[in-house]
Amino acid sequence: MFIWQQLSKSQQVDALARPAISDSDTLEQGVKRIINAVAENGDTALFDFTKNFDGVALDDLRLAKSQFQLAEQALSQSRKDAINTAYQQIKTFHSAQRFQDIDVETRPGVRCQLKSEAIESVGLYIPAGSAPLPSTVLMLGVPAQLAGCERVVLVCPPDKNGKLANEIIYAASICGIDEIYRIGGAQAIAALALGTQTIAAVNKVFGPGNKYVTEAKKQLSQSVPGFAIDMPAGPSELLVIADKGANPVFVAADLLSQAEHGTDSQVILLSDDEATINAVAEQLQLQLETLSRKDIAKKALAQSRLILCADIDEAALVSNLYGPEHLSLQVRDTDTLLSKVRNAGSVFVGDYSPESAGDYASGTNHVLPTYGYSKVASSLSLADFSRRYTVQTLTKYGLQSLAQTIVELTDAEGLDAHQRAVTLRVGNGNSDSIGGIECDESSVQDKGDVA
Amino acid sequence: MFIWQQLSKSQQVDALARPAISDSDTLEQGVKRIINAVAENGDTALFDFTKNFDGVALDDLRLAKSQFQLAEQALSQSRKDAINTAYQQIKTFHSAQRFQDIDVETRPGVRCQLKSEAIESVGLYIPAGSAPLPSTVLMLGVPAQLAGCERVVLVCPPDKNGKLANEIIYAASICGIDEIYRIGGAQAIAALALGTQTIAAVNKVFGPGNKYVTEAKKQLSQSVPGFAIDMPAGPSELLVIADKGANPVFVAADLLSQAEHGTDSQVILLSDDEATINAVAEQLQLQLETLSRKDIAKKALAQSRLILCADIDEAALVSNLYGPEHLSLQVRDTDTLLSKVRNAGSVFVGDYSPESAGDYASGTNHVLPTYGYSKVASSLSLADFSRRYTVQTLTKYGLQSLAQTIVELTDAEGLDAHQRAVTLRVGNGNSDSIGGIECDESSVQDKGDVA
């Protein structure tokens, strides 16, 4: 246990330090080679890599139509019900995020709009490590569907038999996705960014992945003009602020739910009550013993930080410094604390809002900024599947009324042609003649609504 | 002039090709050296680079308070009026973009919110090449002010006397900015991203710049965790769609206003009327002659494309393929055409909406996605100066009602600890005992509003 106020400045920095992300040349070069191979050999490279990395020789990259019905038939009703319920929850919250066009007459005859348009084609990367992740399919597939993206492509590495989990296929299908490719790793991201004979390139790729996937997203978003990715990725994080009234059993369970993600998961507890910290520490050991992913969680916990703060205000301050991906507020006065929280990807308020609820089914998105990016980046939302652009419509009167302003500013900036695009239309109000070019300086009487 | 339908597929691709952005190793290494120098030597490096690159030995990086009043006194009233009018226009449109919190009960006892928070500290880069750019100060400073960023820092390279333009200082001052540093180039971006003795690091940097600035933004946003930039930058672009009724004088003036930006500016005209294309071509030559930036515009025009389309629908299609930064619609039926436009940073509707209007004073932002990024990226708006995050509040009843869903999904994903964070709180509905740990499975009766 650390006591925040007894730490020096540099110890405080260390206490909130994140694990270094290995940015090795080997990784960079390895991924570059994979990308180049896909760029040069297209599908052939994808077949080769899938054989080498996933251990299966495929005949066909795309999942056959027949698999969708088979997947649905193979799943238990209770599993389908769970996926349907989560789908509905996520849909309800993301539907409420629809962008409302903004339409303002900034002065008579000058109408400015901010409008939204779905991104035409998007790719969703779904990892398949120890277990399938249908929840991630829903977190990406639901907003893509709601945004109205014309083409939604899902990629997921196959198992040794060339199969994808039934849960993945079923979840994709209820999100309206029928274009699924059985590829994973850096090669899948390269295929989505560059396109191959079978797979047309997409505009933007979403989703989590291992270090090869993350590196490929980084490289391709830098090198392929117009290609974008969702957000920078780092290890998952949870910070819990707990007061004396918090239940140590709950707090420990939450910290463990984060710790089981990976050995580099970050787990931080802040409390103003030493007894609570000790009780949580005890519960962590007790609950750890019976977890199937005990070994992973144990390693992550070894790096965990239990920090005693002077009061809950100080805890809020420390949390804001860290900027956690997930922030759990297990305190009595949640309203006051919530008002002091600045930087977090998603906030879980009160004793009955475990991170698990948001990971699966409350309705919020579980793709969140990590590694300090919660200070600048937003949680994934409907907005990420569309783009906003402006539209302006000026009447002759509207332009005339801004002419003098634009003439002054273009003078300041030395941009004649910018100025002339205005004065040739409406004059500059001083009836100067302009380099022998015929001007339209007729009196302007077409004021009135531009809408 | 090209005729779209007579071009082969590959000629069509070439006709819409953008100039290659030189991604030289020299540039990359040079900028890396500058960044490393700032990282190691802080202010000293900034003084050195300013002496070498800007030709002035400064005593102090920060602009003195006294300079603000002097700048205001030195400016003519008409210049101040113009800056004030543009400020007001931009403020009116960006004020309308305020994010409305989203607050949904996705089911009884489960409340999900999407909230917005200003990014704490932002840096605004204002170039100073041949002339000052007060318009860019306003385009970045107004949304930063409206978003409520706690700290807004402006950097701008000084002239040989260590001065900044009065217009820059005055525009900053009406945006409420008093922290201005007289630095530019890659070293300025490095200072903002990394911090020095004098300049505290910021969370996000905005603004245009030369290739060194762009490269520094790219490198630092990749290497400094939690540091973000506004958007990828490329040469400026304008695509005009003009019909038979368009005024060739206006169209040519707009194309020239784009061409004068830089020799790599992209200028494209699409029309369904050959006579219009010819008349515009003639006007281009005529108007070019009297421009002060004639040499620049001439080079850009040499790369311009005048394309004859079968009809306006085809023009819309070609424009969507290209995805221009600026799109001007000088046609009679603007409504129909506007409904077909998908990809553009900002759209200028009708004969009296020149790009110049949006560049300065209509109210829209002139920081826009270029180089094909309009297919995935948004025009700069108030949203870029804040971040959205989710908040969820579940009652015991709410969590109970989702328990079975979460249990099923955690089973599918093999995440025990995630499951237990729920079952320890409310059971799983099947009253299983959980590994000897005391569970809270009391009946749940606290339904009701979470708000």
Side-chain angles (χ1 to χ4, degrees), chain A residues 332-408:
Chain A
R332 298 323 94 200
D333 183 1
T334 51
D335 283 354
T336 303
L337 182 49
L338 193 54
S339 72
K340 292 180 175 162
V341 167
R342 270 196 95 114
N343 304 319
S346 193
V347 186
F348 300 80
V349 182
D351 298 333
Y352 287 93
S353 306
E355 187 200 313
S356 298
D359 286 343
Y360 290 102
S362 67
T364 60
N365 208 293
H366 77 200
V367 179
L368 301 168
T370 57
Y371 216 74
Y373 280 97
S374 75
K375 293 176 187 177
V376 283
S378 297
S379 308
L380 198 76
S381 73
L382 198 58
D384 295 290
F385 292 81
S386 62
R387 37 172 297 279
R388 269 73 52 211
Y389 65 100
T390 51
V391 176
Q392 54 230 288
T393 312
L394 284 77
T395 64
K396 195 171 175 183
Y397 175 87
L399 184 61
Q400 174 74 66
S401 78
L402 285 174
Q404 215 190 327
T405 297
I406 299 172
V407 166
E408 271 288 343

Side-chain angles (χ1 to χ4, degrees), chain B residues 16-255:
Chain B
L16 299 182
R18 290 176 158 88
I21 294 177
S22 65
D23 198 18
S24 74
D25 283 355
T26 324
L27 175 65
E28 190 183 327
Q29 292 308 319
V31 168
K32 201 166 273 178
R33 269 196 299 277
I34 293 173
I35 292 172
N36 288 342
V38 174
E40 279 168 35
N41 304 321
D43 287 348
T44 311
L46 297 178
F47 283 117
D48 287 351
F49 287 127
T50 306
K51 196 170 170 195
N52 291 339
F53 295 146
D54 303 301
V56 54
L58 299 175
D59 291 327
D60 208 345
L61 298 171
R62 187 164 176 170
L63 187 75
K65 272 198 172 27
S66 57
Q67 295 301 311
F68 288 89
Q69 215 187 328
L70 291 176
E72 183 170 352
Q73 286 164 353
L75 285 175
S76 69
Q77 192 55 45
S78 60
R79 187 119 329 162
K80 281 187 282 189
D81 286 347
I83 294 174
N84 290 341
T85 301
Y87 171 85
Q88 200 54 54
Q89 288 290 112
I90 298 164
K91 189 173 177 182
T92 301
F93 184 51
H94 287 73
S95 296
Q97 297 168 18
R98 282 190 196 288
F99 182 79
Q100 300 294 322
D101 281 7
I102 287 158
D103 194 339
V104 180
E105 205 173 19
T106 54
R107 62 167 51 210
V110 181
R111 178 188 185 187
C112 296
Q113 294 166 274
L114 188 67
K115 302 178 75 156
S116 174
E117 181 81 44
I119 294 172
E120 216 166 304
S121 58
V122 297
L124 316 182
Y125 187 91
I126 307 298
S130 46
L133 298 173
S135 63
T136 301
V137 177
L138 299 176
M139 294 295 173
L140 304 177
V142 171
Q145 184 180 34
L146 287 173
C149 300
E150 260 182 37
R151 185 167 157 249
V152 183
V153 185
L154 187 147
V155 294
C156 183
D159 67 15
K160 300 234 177 294
N161 302 312
K163 302 260 182 217
L164 302 186
N166 293 321
E167 286 89 346
I168 299 287
I169 301 173
Y170 179 71
S173 125
I174 62 171
C175 294
I177 300 169
D178 63 5
E179 187 177 351
I180 299 182
Y181 298 100
R182 296 175 292 168
I183 49 172
Q187 63 273 20
I189 307 296
L192 291 171
L194 303 168
T196 68
Q197 295 87 337
T198 302
I199 306 174
V202 300
N203 300 125
K204 190 173 181 181
V205 163
F206 298 78
N210 61 23
K211 62 183 177 179
Y212 303 100
V213 169
T214 300
E215 176 67 22
K217 285 171 73 179
K218 180 173 156 177
Q219 285 186 24
L220 287 157
S221 66
Q222 290 296 312
S223 64
V224 180
F227 173 71
I229 59 171
D230 46 359
M231 61 177 84
S236 197
E237 306 157 350
L238 169 65
L239 186 149
V240 180
I241 302 178
D243 66 7
K244 198 177 178 170
N247 186 333
V249 176
F250 298 176
V251 173
D254 293 339
L255 294 173

Side-chain angles (χ1 to χ4, degrees), chain A residues 78 135 150 222 254 257 260 290 342 344 346 351 353 356 362 374 387 390 392 394 408 413 418 425, chain B residues 78 135 150 222 254 257 260 290 342 344 346 351 353 356 362 374 387 390 392 394 408 413 418 420 425:
Chain A
S78 59
S135 62
E150 260 183 37
Q222 290 295 312
D254 294 339
S257 76
E260 77 172 343
T290 52
R342 270 196 95 114
S346 193
D351 298 333
S353 306
S356 298
S362 67
S374 75
R387 37 172 297 279
T390 51
Q392 54 230 288
L394 284 77
E408 271 288 343
E413 301 189 359
H418 279 68
R425 283 172 161 96
Chain B
S78 60
S135 63
E150 260 182 37
Q222 290 296 312
D254 293 339
S257 76
E260 78 173 342
T290 51
R342 270 197 94 116
S346 193
D351 297 334
S353 307
S356 297
S362 67
S374 74
R387 36 173 298 278
T390 52
Q392 54 230 287
L394 285 78
E408 271 288 343
E413 300 190 359
H418 280 67
R420 205 178 279 167
R425 283 171 161 98

